[in-house]
Amino acid sequence: MLKNIILFLLFSYAVKSYSQTIQGKVIDEVSGEPIPFVSLMIIGSQATSISNENGDFVIKAKGFPLKLKFSHVSYLISEFEIKSSSDNLIIKLKQAAINLAEVTIDPYRGKKLLKSAFEKATKYKDENYYLKAFYRQLTSVNNNPTKIHEIFYDIKWNVSKTTGWIARQTRFAESKNQSAFNLSNQSYFTFSSSGYLTQPNSGTFVTEKTLDKYTIEIERYIEQADQDIAVITCTINKAGKNQFYANSTFYVGTEDFKIYRVENNILNLPMDLDNGAGFKYPPIVKTIATFKSNSAEVNILESISTKMYLSIIYADRMRSTDLSATVSSLLTVYQEDNNIKNESFQNVRRDTKDKNVVESIKYNADFWQNNPIVKQTSLEDKFSKLMEGQNAFGTMINP
């Protein structure tokens, strides 16, 4: 009898814990299109999250009722009262007003705003922030998912980039039909692209020193409650045929000179491929980094999404094969934690192999089961379930 009571209490606790998870999708109020990278938080708590590329979100609550606050640089900040747990919330956000009237008043204002933003950030370039983050990378070849790996990191970040990392939990799976193609250090590029005070070792990026190399224009102003956000496009004036460079869009506060979002289109990125693969055409890379406003003088990293479009030639002894590959990654910060500042962080290095990082930590299936931080797009979810069904996670061996 006592055993049955204990089992019942454990089951009740598990149901109660599960019921505290809130899931849903954020969409545009008018178009109904999903909105990626929307920040959300439970008001009055430290619980935060961010929607993924499909607008899907998951957040864990301790009790109800509660208020969820949603914010995105292009939408009005909105609050919603949630009275009970749900797995199918639909949150509709209203676009912020767009002001085009002021765009042509001062043709140099975009450059001035960027310069002010860079100068402000430079004052804090040596100040580190300590964050907990979740990273997922999905590789697709010829439109078919082939491998996925996921890592929980502690990271050390500043306004230039992520400078240190500790892998806490990992898992990996790959299809038995996967090609020989492998991109071994996507996380290095993600970490290196996670700041807004870029200091590249090679190539041309938008920095305070390179502003004269770009045509800089304010595309529009987004009218938020406290200030306008200027959307500033930067297009390189002249690029060589094989020159490594980025065209960028910055979202800058017109009053506080903080940077809220950076989008990069990167061409001719120098990369190395494994197993005798080479590029048929230079890779094209797109990144979107979002930064969360707080009481500090600079905004801290919230998420960094990268997507690489690769046209590859793979040659073996018998034949040559053309492959079209896409490597997508998303690093999302779910907690700021100064308690980890004294940990021993690994330096961000180009020669770090993601596979080796994954293999260095024993797979813990219980940790990943129903983990509320692990949010997936529909494609990732389908592939993950396929791999789980084949018991492929936790091993580098094809199922």
Side-chain angles (χ1 to χ4, degrees):
M1 181 67 179
L2 178 61
K3 180 179 179 181
N4 290 337
I5 293 174
I6 292 174
L7 288 174
F8 174 78
L9 291 174
L10 289 173
F11 176 76
S12 299
Y13 176 78
V15 171
K16 183 178 180 181
S17 298
Y18 177 77
S19 70
Q20 308 305 301
T21 300
I22 307 169
Q23 301 182 52
K25 180 184 285 286
V26 189
I27 63 173
D28 185 286
E29 179 184 69
V30 176
S31 69
E33 292 296 316
I35 309 174
F37 314 133
V38 177
S39 306
L40 59 142
M41 66 175 294
I42 297 175
I43 295 176
S45 79
Q46 298 296 316
T48 63
S49 188
I50 188 169
S51 66
N52 65 15
E53 291 177 319
N54 282 358
D56 301 317
F57 68 87
V58 179
I59 193 166
K60 199 168 186 178
K62 293 183 177 179
F64 298 93
L66 57 81
K67 279 191 175 181
L68 282 179
K69 180 179 179 180
F70 294 81
S71 59
H72 186 286
V73 70
S74 297
Y75 290 81
L76 297 180
I77 295 174
S78 299
E79 296 180 5
F80 297 86
E81 184 173 0
I82 310 298
K83 296 183 178 180
S84 61
S85 63
S86 175
D87 59 3
N88 60 355
L89 279 178
I90 300 296
I91 301 297
K92 299 180 180 180
L93 297 187
K94 183 177 181 179
Q95 286 194 15
I98 304 299
N99 188 342
L100 299 176
E102 297 183 9
V103 170
T104 58
I105 291 177
D106 182 355
Y108 300 103
R109 193 183 185 204
K111 184 175 180 179
K112 294 174 184 175
L113 282 173
L114 265 185
K115 190 172 186 298
S116 296
F118 289 150
E119 288 174 346
K120 182 173 187 176
T122 299
K123 297 177 183 178
Y124 302 91
K125 63 182 177 65
D126 296 323
E127 185 169 336
N128 292 315
Y129 297 85
Y130 298 88
L131 312 171
K132 291 185 175 294
F134 172 62
Y135 175 83
R136 175 185 290 114
Q137 177 179 320
L138 179 70
T139 300
S140 297
V141 176
N142 296 335
N143 297 320
N144 295 313
T146 59
K147 63 182 67 177
I148 188 170
H149 72 259
E150 299 164 317
I151 304 174
F152 276 82
Y153 283 112
D154 290 348
I155 62 174
K156 180 170 65 173
W157 178 88
N158 61 38
V159 295
S160 298
K161 61 182 180 179
T162 297
T163 60
W165 58 270
I166 304 171
R168 296 300 188 185
Q169 293 287 343
T170 68
R171 69 175 184 174
F172 174 97
E174 61 185 7
S175 168
K176 60 184 178 182
N177 297 318
Q178 64 107 21
S179 70
F181 162 70
N182 183 50
L183 186 62
S184 62
N185 61 347
Q186 169 83 346
S187 63
Y188 166 79
F189 180 76
T190 301
F191 286 149
S192 300
S193 305
S194 65
Y196 43 78
L197 199 65
T198 310
Q199 297 174 330
N201 295 324
S202 61
T204 303
F205 280 70
V206 182
T207 69
E208 187 177 353
K209 294 181 179 179
T210 64
L211 292 178
D212 290 337
K213 296 183 179 182
Y214 284 84
T215 297
I216 300 173
E217 299 177 331
I218 297 180
E219 180 183 277
R220 63 189 186 277
Y221 291 94
I222 302 170
E223 297 180 0
Q224 293 289 359
D226 54 347
Q227 67 175 335
D228 288 351
I229 305 295
V231 181
I232 305 170
T233 60
C234 307
T235 306
I236 198 166
N237 293 325
K238 185 178 180 181
K241 183 178 180 181
N242 297 312
Q243 181 183 349
F244 167 34
Y245 68 95
N247 291 325
S248 305
T249 300
F250 289 80
Y251 292 67
V252 179
T254 57
E255 300 293 334
D256 62 12
F257 305 126
K258 290 183 178 181
I259 296 173
Y260 289 83
R261 180 182 176 106
V262 180
E263 302 169 0
N264 287 312
N265 288 325
I266 303 171
L267 300 177
N268 301 320
L269 177 68
M271 295 173 59
D272 298 321
L273 298 176
D274 292 345
N275 300 321
F279 289 111
K280 186 175 182 180
Y281 303 109
I284 297 175
V285 184
K286 297 180 182 293
T287 73
I288 300 175
T290 65
F291 304 95
K292 181 165 58 176
S293 178
N294 57 18
S295 58
E297 287 299 305
V298 294
N299 291 343
I300 65 173
L301 178 67
E302 184 175 59
S303 71
I304 168 71
S305 167
T306 68
K307 186 164 288 189
M308 295 188 176
Y309 300 91
L310 310 172
S311 180
I312 300 163
I313 299 177
Y314 176 74
D316 57 25
R317 295 180 180 179
M318 302 296 295
R319 57 182 180 140
S320 178
T321 305
D322 289 356
L323 301 175
S324 176
T326 303
V327 183
S328 302
S329 73
L330 177 63
L331 180 79
T332 56
V333 173
Y334 62 90
Q335 185 179 344
E336 186 176 357
D337 188 358
N338 286 326
N339 292 324
I340 63 175
K341 67 185 301 181
N342 295 322
E343 299 286 347
S344 297
F345 288 86
Q346 299 286 328
N347 292 328
V348 174
R349 297 167 53 92
R350 186 173 181 177
D351 59 0
T352 298
K353 303 295 185 183
D354 294 334
K355 173 182 174 181
N356 294 343
V357 174
V358 172
E359 289 181 319
S360 69
I361 297 176
K362 184 178 180 179
Y363 174 59
N364 182 348
D366 292 337
F367 174 86
W368 293 92
Q369 185 70 25
N370 296 322
N371 191 307
I373 304 299
V374 180
K375 301 179 290 293
Q376 298 176 314
T377 65
S378 55
L379 180 63
E380 292 164 346
D381 183 59
K382 182 178 179 181
F383 186 63
S384 292
K385 287 179 178 177
L386 174 64
M387 294 295 99
E388 287 170 348
Q390 297 175 346
N391 294 320
F393 275 116
T395 175
M396 302 300 293
I397 302 171
N398 291 339

